[in-house]
Amino acid sequence: MLKEHSVGILATGRYLPERVLTNADLEKMVDTSDEWIVTRTGIKERRIARDDQPSSEMAVAAARNALEKAGLTGEDLDLIIIATVTPDMFFPSTACIVQEQLGAKKAAAFDLSAACSGFLYGASVATQFIKSGVYRYALVVGVENLSKITNYEDRSTCVLFGDGAGAAILGPVEDGKGFLSFDLGADGTGAESLKLGAGGSRIPPSKIQPGSPDNYLYMSGNEVFKFAVRVMNTATDTVLDRAGLTKDDIDFLVPHQANFRIIDSAMRRLGLSEDKVVVNLDRYGNMSSASIPVALDEAVSEGRIKEGDTLVLVGFGGGLTWAASAMKWSSVEKGQE
Ligand code: UT7
């Protein structure tokens, strides 16, 4: 029997494209207003990848940033998981392209499709391998290129999404620190409420009709909103309970960044003040799987999240899926921005 290790995040990294799309820009593109977007979502601007920029390029930049802070190189990695709904191609996996660019010769590599819950799904999978002693170091990246599947003539979705990548290096940490518990879940009855219709086996690439709504991200906002509020609560309670903690133990909530009203409802229910909740959707919008790792990286590098802090990370999205984790923060990197 192999010795079980406590597993945590040794370092985080991020990459955000330079191009900024503001609410004022969107007012010129569709019938919307800065006032509607800010009051209904909390979003002010988002980042947009270059037209010729694949997801792998953003993932590699975030991964290099995290590896450097962890004091590791690609060759140290045993496993690469890329959580994304906007891979470079249907296959090979974006993880294999990232593996080659990082020179991570010994790493197993695969993509994981759990939409906005993808980073935490990936972290939980990597944790099992490290905990059991099979692997030592894993790279988990949430990366999205949502601008490539967004219809910029549809005001109900185009104001919401942005592009970016967040990375984490997972490895063994001091006993009792790192990931304390996980809760993963799915409700496939909501599969049609958030989707990209074309490009898979139902509408294969050779049958795609230019201009069809199937070529763009579709979301039934109200349905996903109700689901999100519900599972944020249940998943948070579950991970606290599994870790033997209560809401009073939370130092920081790091939620998926879809809508400030969803975050606000969780914050009030948990009795948390605003300084205990990490929010960046005003600057980046909803980056699906990249939202949580980017938020985490910013809070750590700004020195907000510190050694020994108790965190709850919680995400929800397409699938429909949800995922949460309670953590005791322990990393090799110290805040430095
Ligand atoms: O990351 C994956 C998980 N995703 C989420 O968690 C998203 C969850 N859903 C949401 O955040 C919200 O449902 C939205 C932000 C998408 C929409 O907000 P809402 O308050 O649910 O608005 P609604 O869809 O009920 O629309 C209200 C009104 C409608 O007009 P009428 O029918 O009342 O006249 C919409 O046509 O707002 C209109 N509307 C807009 N108006 C100005 C919708 N989008 C816009 C817009 N600008 N961009």
Short mmCIF file of all heavy atoms in Angstrom, two decimals, residues 31-33 36 40-41 116 155-156 159-160 194 219 221-222 224-225 228 256 258-259 261-262 286 316-317, ligand 1:
data_model
loop_
_atom_site.label_atom_id
_atom_site.label_comp_id
_atom_site.label_asym_id
_atom_site.label_seq_id
_atom_site.Cartn_x
_atom_site.Cartn_y
_atom_site.Cartn_z
N ASP A 31 -27.82 46.23 -28.95
CA ASP A 31 -28.72 47.10 -28.20
C ASP A 31 -28.59 46.78 -26.71
O ASP A 31 -29.35 45.98 -26.15
CB ASP A 31 -30.16 46.86 -28.70
CG ASP A 31 -31.16 47.72 -27.96
OD1 ASP A 31 -30.73 48.68 -27.29
OD2 ASP A 31 -32.36 47.40 -28.03
N THR A 32 -27.59 47.38 -26.08
CA THR A 32 -27.36 47.16 -24.65
C THR A 32 -26.85 48.45 -24.03
O THR A 32 -26.68 49.45 -24.72
CB THR A 32 -26.36 46.00 -24.41
OG1 THR A 32 -26.37 45.65 -23.03
CG2 THR A 32 -24.93 46.38 -24.82
N SER A 33 -26.64 48.44 -22.71
CA SER A 33 -26.11 49.63 -22.05
C SER A 33 -25.18 49.20 -20.93
O SER A 33 -25.35 48.13 -20.34
CB SER A 33 -27.25 50.47 -21.48
OG SER A 33 -27.90 49.73 -20.45
N TRP A 36 -27.23 48.42 -17.88
CA TRP A 36 -27.86 47.08 -17.82
C TRP A 36 -26.80 46.03 -17.46
O TRP A 36 -27.01 45.21 -16.57
CB TRP A 36 -28.52 46.71 -19.16
CG TRP A 36 -29.39 45.47 -19.04
CD1 TRP A 36 -30.73 45.44 -18.83
CD2 TRP A 36 -28.95 44.10 -19.11
NE1 TRP A 36 -31.17 44.14 -18.74
CE2 TRP A 36 -30.09 43.29 -18.91
CE3 TRP A 36 -27.74 43.46 -19.30
CZ2 TRP A 36 -30.06 41.89 -18.90
CZ3 TRP A 36 -27.69 42.06 -19.28
CH2 TRP A 36 -28.84 41.30 -19.09
N ARG A 40 -27.08 44.08 -13.95
CA ARG A 40 -27.57 42.70 -14.06
C ARG A 40 -26.46 41.66 -13.89
O ARG A 40 -26.72 40.50 -13.60
CB ARG A 40 -28.26 42.43 -15.42
CG ARG A 40 -29.42 43.32 -15.76
CD ARG A 40 -30.44 43.42 -14.68
NE ARG A 40 -31.19 42.18 -14.46
CZ ARG A 40 -31.92 41.92 -13.38
NH1 ARG A 40 -32.00 42.80 -12.40
NH2 ARG A 40 -32.57 40.78 -13.26
N THR A 41 -25.17 42.07 -14.11
CA THR A 41 -24.09 41.06 -14.04
C THR A 41 -22.88 41.50 -13.20
O THR A 41 -22.18 40.64 -12.68
CB THR A 41 -23.53 40.73 -15.45
OG1 THR A 41 -22.76 41.85 -15.93
CG2 THR A 41 -24.63 40.41 -16.43
N CYS A 116 -17.52 25.34 -16.80
CA CYS A 116 -17.02 26.27 -15.76
C CYS A 116 -16.56 25.52 -14.51
O CYS A 116 -15.85 26.09 -13.68
CB CYS A 116 -18.10 27.26 -15.38
SG CYS A 116 -18.87 28.01 -16.81
N ARG A 155 -27.18 39.99 -27.80
CA ARG A 155 -26.87 40.74 -26.58
C ARG A 155 -27.02 39.90 -25.31
O ARG A 155 -26.48 40.24 -24.27
CB ARG A 155 -27.75 41.99 -26.49
CG ARG A 155 -29.22 41.68 -26.23
CD ARG A 155 -30.02 42.95 -26.03
NE ARG A 155 -31.41 42.64 -25.71
CZ ARG A 155 -32.32 43.55 -25.42
NH1 ARG A 155 -32.00 44.82 -25.42
NH2 ARG A 155 -33.54 43.18 -25.12
N SER A 156 -27.81 38.82 -25.40
CA SER A 156 -28.05 38.04 -24.18
C SER A 156 -26.83 37.22 -23.76
O SER A 156 -26.74 36.77 -22.63
CB SER A 156 -29.28 37.14 -24.33
OG SER A 156 -29.00 36.07 -25.20
N VAL A 159 -22.33 39.94 -23.91
CA VAL A 159 -21.83 40.85 -22.88
C VAL A 159 -21.18 40.09 -21.72
O VAL A 159 -20.56 40.69 -20.85
CB VAL A 159 -22.97 41.74 -22.33
CG1 VAL A 159 -23.60 42.54 -23.46
CG2 VAL A 159 -24.03 40.93 -21.60
N LEU A 160 -21.36 38.76 -21.73
CA LEU A 160 -20.99 38.00 -20.53
C LEU A 160 -19.57 37.43 -20.53
O LEU A 160 -18.95 37.32 -19.48
CB LEU A 160 -21.96 36.81 -20.35
CG LEU A 160 -23.45 37.16 -20.28
CD1 LEU A 160 -24.28 35.87 -20.28
CD2 LEU A 160 -23.74 37.99 -19.04
N LEU A 194 -27.04 25.03 -21.76
CA LEU A 194 -25.79 25.76 -22.00
C LEU A 194 -24.95 24.89 -22.91
O LEU A 194 -24.48 23.82 -22.49
CB LEU A 194 -25.10 26.01 -20.64
CG LEU A 194 -23.81 26.82 -20.57
CD1 LEU A 194 -23.86 28.06 -21.42
CD2 LEU A 194 -23.52 27.20 -19.13
N MET A 219 -27.12 29.87 -24.27
CA MET A 219 -27.40 29.71 -22.84
C MET A 219 -28.80 30.17 -22.50
O MET A 219 -29.23 31.25 -22.90
CB MET A 219 -26.40 30.51 -21.99
CG MET A 219 -26.67 30.36 -20.50
SD MET A 219 -25.34 30.97 -19.46
CE MET A 219 -25.53 32.72 -19.65
N GLY A 221 -30.23 31.67 -19.82
CA GLY A 221 -29.67 32.38 -18.66
C GLY A 221 -30.45 32.15 -17.37
O GLY A 221 -29.85 31.89 -16.32
N ASN A 222 -31.78 32.23 -17.47
CA ASN A 222 -32.59 32.10 -16.24
C ASN A 222 -32.46 30.72 -15.61
O ASN A 222 -32.36 30.59 -14.39
CB ASN A 222 -34.06 32.38 -16.54
CG ASN A 222 -34.29 33.85 -16.82
OD1 ASN A 222 -33.69 34.69 -16.17
ND2 ASN A 222 -35.12 34.15 -17.80
N VAL A 224 -29.97 28.57 -15.92
CA VAL A 224 -28.63 28.37 -15.35
C VAL A 224 -28.48 29.20 -14.07
O VAL A 224 -27.85 28.76 -13.11
CB VAL A 224 -27.53 28.72 -16.39
CG1 VAL A 224 -26.15 28.50 -15.80
CG2 VAL A 224 -27.69 27.88 -17.65
N PHE A 225 -29.09 30.37 -14.05
CA PHE A 225 -29.01 31.24 -12.88
C PHE A 225 -29.58 30.52 -11.64
O PHE A 225 -28.95 30.47 -10.59
CB PHE A 225 -29.79 32.53 -13.15
CG PHE A 225 -29.58 33.60 -12.12
CD1 PHE A 225 -28.66 34.61 -12.33
CD2 PHE A 225 -30.31 33.61 -10.93
CE1 PHE A 225 -28.45 35.61 -11.37
CE2 PHE A 225 -30.12 34.60 -9.97
CZ PHE A 225 -29.19 35.60 -10.19
N ALA A 228 -27.39 27.71 -10.57
CA ALA A 228 -26.13 28.20 -10.00
C ALA A 228 -26.31 28.60 -8.53
O ALA A 228 -25.52 28.21 -7.67
CB ALA A 228 -25.61 29.38 -10.81
N HIS A 256 -16.85 30.76 -8.92
CA HIS A 256 -16.89 30.97 -10.37
C HIS A 256 -17.47 32.35 -10.64
O HIS A 256 -18.38 32.79 -9.95
CB HIS A 256 -17.73 29.87 -11.03
CG HIS A 256 -17.93 30.12 -12.49
ND1 HIS A 256 -16.87 30.43 -13.32
CD2 HIS A 256 -19.04 30.14 -13.26
CE1 HIS A 256 -17.33 30.63 -14.54
NE2 HIS A 256 -18.65 30.46 -14.53
N ALA A 258 -19.52 34.23 -12.81
CA ALA A 258 -20.52 34.31 -13.89
C ALA A 258 -21.36 35.56 -13.77
O ALA A 258 -21.66 36.21 -14.76
CB ALA A 258 -21.41 33.08 -13.88
N ASN A 259 -21.75 35.88 -12.53
CA ASN A 259 -22.68 36.99 -12.32
C ASN A 259 -22.55 37.43 -10.87
O ASN A 259 -22.64 36.59 -9.97
CB ASN A 259 -24.11 36.50 -12.61
CG ASN A 259 -25.10 37.65 -12.60
OD1 ASN A 259 -25.01 38.57 -11.78
ND2 ASN A 259 -26.04 37.62 -13.53
N ARG A 261 -24.57 38.86 -9.03
CA ARG A 261 -25.77 38.58 -8.22
C ARG A 261 -25.73 37.16 -7.65
O ARG A 261 -26.23 36.92 -6.56
CB ARG A 261 -27.04 38.79 -9.07
CG ARG A 261 -27.30 40.27 -9.36
CD ARG A 261 -28.62 40.44 -10.07
NE ARG A 261 -28.56 39.97 -11.44
CZ ARG A 261 -29.54 39.32 -12.08
NH1 ARG A 261 -30.66 39.04 -11.47
NH2 ARG A 261 -29.37 38.95 -13.33
N ILE A 262 -25.15 36.22 -8.39
CA ILE A 262 -25.03 34.83 -7.89
C ILE A 262 -24.01 34.81 -6.73
O ILE A 262 -24.25 34.20 -5.68
CB ILE A 262 -24.58 33.88 -9.03
CG1 ILE A 262 -25.62 33.86 -10.15
CG2 ILE A 262 -24.32 32.47 -8.49
CD1 ILE A 262 -25.18 33.09 -11.41
N ASN A 286 -17.05 36.41 -17.61
CA ASN A 286 -17.08 34.98 -17.32
C ASN A 286 -16.10 34.25 -18.24
O ASN A 286 -16.31 34.20 -19.45
CB ASN A 286 -18.52 34.49 -17.54
CG ASN A 286 -18.70 33.01 -17.27
OD1 ASN A 286 -17.73 32.26 -17.14
ND2 ASN A 286 -19.96 32.59 -17.20
N PHE A 316 -19.73 26.23 -11.19
CA PHE A 316 -20.95 25.63 -11.74
C PHE A 316 -21.03 26.04 -13.19
O PHE A 316 -20.47 27.08 -13.57
CB PHE A 316 -22.18 26.17 -10.99
CG PHE A 316 -22.15 27.67 -10.90
CD1 PHE A 316 -22.58 28.46 -11.96
CD2 PHE A 316 -21.59 28.30 -9.80
CE1 PHE A 316 -22.47 29.84 -11.91
CE2 PHE A 316 -21.49 29.71 -9.75
CZ PHE A 316 -21.93 30.46 -10.80
N GLY A 317 -21.68 25.23 -14.01
CA GLY A 317 -21.82 25.64 -15.40
C GLY A 317 -22.32 24.52 -16.30
O GLY A 317 -23.01 23.60 -15.84
O1 UT7 B 1 -20.68 30.23 -16.46
C1 UT7 B 1 -21.75 29.40 -16.73
C2 UT7 B 1 -22.84 29.70 -15.83
N1 UT7 B 1 -23.57 30.86 -16.34
C3 UT7 B 1 -24.31 31.55 -15.48
O2 UT7 B 1 -24.29 31.29 -14.31
C4 UT7 B 1 -25.18 32.64 -16.03
C5 UT7 B 1 -26.47 32.66 -15.26
N2 UT7 B 1 -27.43 33.63 -15.77
C6 UT7 B 1 -27.27 34.96 -15.64
O3 UT7 B 1 -26.27 35.44 -15.15
C7 UT7 B 1 -28.43 35.85 -16.05
O4 UT7 B 1 -29.56 35.05 -16.29
C8 UT7 B 1 -28.13 36.73 -17.29
C9 UT7 B 1 -27.10 37.79 -16.95
C10 UT7 B 1 -27.64 35.87 -18.44
C11 UT7 B 1 -29.39 37.45 -17.74
O5 UT7 B 1 -29.89 38.26 -16.67
P1 UT7 B 1 -31.43 38.21 -16.28
O6 UT7 B 1 -31.63 39.16 -15.20
O7 UT7 B 1 -31.78 36.76 -16.05
O8 UT7 B 1 -32.12 38.78 -17.56
P2 UT7 B 1 -33.19 38.10 -18.52
O9 UT7 B 1 -32.55 37.10 -19.39
O10 UT7 B 1 -34.38 37.68 -17.69
O11 UT7 B 1 -33.60 39.33 -19.38
C12 UT7 B 1 -34.28 40.48 -18.82
C13 UT7 B 1 -34.46 41.52 -19.91
C14 UT7 B 1 -35.05 40.95 -21.18
O12 UT7 B 1 -35.90 41.92 -21.75
P3 UT7 B 1 -37.50 41.83 -21.59
O13 UT7 B 1 -37.88 40.51 -22.19
O14 UT7 B 1 -37.74 41.89 -20.10
O15 UT7 B 1 -37.98 43.02 -22.33
C15 UT7 B 1 -33.87 40.78 -22.09
O16 UT7 B 1 -34.19 40.84 -23.46
O17 UT7 B 1 -33.19 42.06 -20.28
C16 UT7 B 1 -33.01 41.95 -21.68
N3 UT7 B 1 -31.59 41.77 -21.96
C17 UT7 B 1 -30.76 42.80 -22.14
N4 UT7 B 1 -30.95 44.13 -22.15
C18 UT7 B 1 -29.89 44.91 -22.37
C19 UT7 B 1 -30.90 40.60 -22.04
N5 UT7 B 1 -29.59 40.88 -22.29
C20 UT7 B 1 -29.50 42.22 -22.36
C21 UT7 B 1 -28.42 43.09 -22.58
N6 UT7 B 1 -28.66 44.43 -22.59
N7 UT7 B 1 -27.16 42.67 -22.78
#
